[in-house]
Amino acid sequence: MRLATFRTGKISILYDADSLCDAGEAPQIGPHLVDPDHWRHAGRVIGEAPGRGASLFLDAGAGGEWVLRPYRRGGLVARLNASRYLWTGLERTRAFRELRLTADLHDRGLPVPRPIAAGVTRHGPIYEAALVTCRIAEARALASLLEGDETDDDLLKRVGATIRRFHDAGLDHVDLNARNLLIDQDKKVWLIDLDRCRLRRDGAWKARNLERLARSLAKFGAPEAMAPIRRGYGNS
């Protein structure tokens, strides 16, 4: 994957040069890439994901689909400031860090969505940001499958084995939950939403990841699903 940076006015975009370019028939680089209103006005929003931030599913043309996820705050602070963050440098923005991390893991062959672009708009001491990735075809969140009683031990063991692959690569996923694990039609497990995640040396963070996932499973009414996930994790 070849990453490059485009700048115009207050906006900086880090993008995959193999997916985008400024000529020919490829999607064009520009502020519109990370602007939800642009896609809505063009009639190319084909769906929306649940959860904070209202990620949009986009018709990217030529049969491709993307996911546009604006960065949004959670908790009490969101009542005062839902989408702006303190500026400490372009490479330290959440969008640029997440895209670079996702690209690194993608290049290692780990099951993450292919990153397309990260856009950052600076407003003096603060900024807003958004991330665009390829949509995983026909994938559903583990949470949805659990709620529909559509899982079995083999699938849950596969979830555990996939988490182990990421842990072995050093990924500390700070929001490991049943919505951030996707299952496609081939039963392949994908990990999404790497905001604030990082690569680390071995440590207690692995257990904390699994404990967070266990709380998420309980929230979706399936605390028993953690046992086969742990078995798959341990046997990998």
Side-chain angles (χ1 to χ4, degrees), residues 11-14 34 71 95-96 99 117-121 127-132:
I11 299 176
S12 298
I13 298 175
L14 179 65
V34 292
Y71 285 79
F96 271 44
L99 188 140
V120 172
T121 304
Y127 72 92
E128 295 177 292
L131 183 74
V132 180

Side-chain angles (χ1 to χ4, degrees), residues 3 13-16 33-36 39 53-56 58 66-72 93-103 113-120 128-134 192-196:
L3 299 183
I13 298 175
L14 179 65
Y15 65 95
D16 172 26
L33 279 174
V34 292
D35 181 4
W39 294 98
S55 296
L56 303 179
L58 311 175
W66 293 345
V67 180
L68 170 58
R69 173 165 57 85
Y71 285 79
R72 293 288 184 268
T93 59
R94 293 170 76 151
F96 271 44
R97 292 176 67 178
E98 183 173 358
L99 188 140
R100 289 197 185 279
L101 175 59
T102 306
R114 185 182 184 96
I116 300 297
V120 172
E128 295 177 292
L131 183 74
V132 180
T133 58
C134 284
I192 64 171
D193 193 355
L194 304 183
D195 182 27
R196 298 181 293 113

Side-chain angles (χ1 to χ4, degrees), residues 39-57:
W39 294 98
R40 290 192 180 97
H41 292 158
R44 295 172 70 179
V45 175
I46 58 177
E48 193 166 318
R52 184 176 79 244
S55 296
L56 303 179
F57 299 136

Side-chain angles (χ1 to χ4, degrees), residues 142-143 145-147 149 151 153 156 159 178 210-231:
L142 176 61
L145 296 176
L146 290 169
E147 289 178 324
D149 195 22
T151 63
D153 277 10
L156 295 172
V159 170
L210 295 176
E211 290 164 3
R212 187 178 185 87
L213 177 58
R215 292 194 296 272
S216 174
L217 297 176
K219 176 182 176 181
F220 289 104
E224 72 284 351
M226 197 61 202
I229 288 175
R230 287 188 182 277
R231 289 197 296 273

Side-chain angles (χ1 to χ4, degrees), residues 172-188:
D172 177 6
H173 196 297
V174 297
D175 192 19
L176 187 62
N177 66 66
R179 289 197 184 279
N180 288 335
L181 289 157
L182 303 186
I183 316 297
D184 67 18
Q185 282 191 321
D186 297 323
K187 305 300 183 184
K188 181 177 179 178

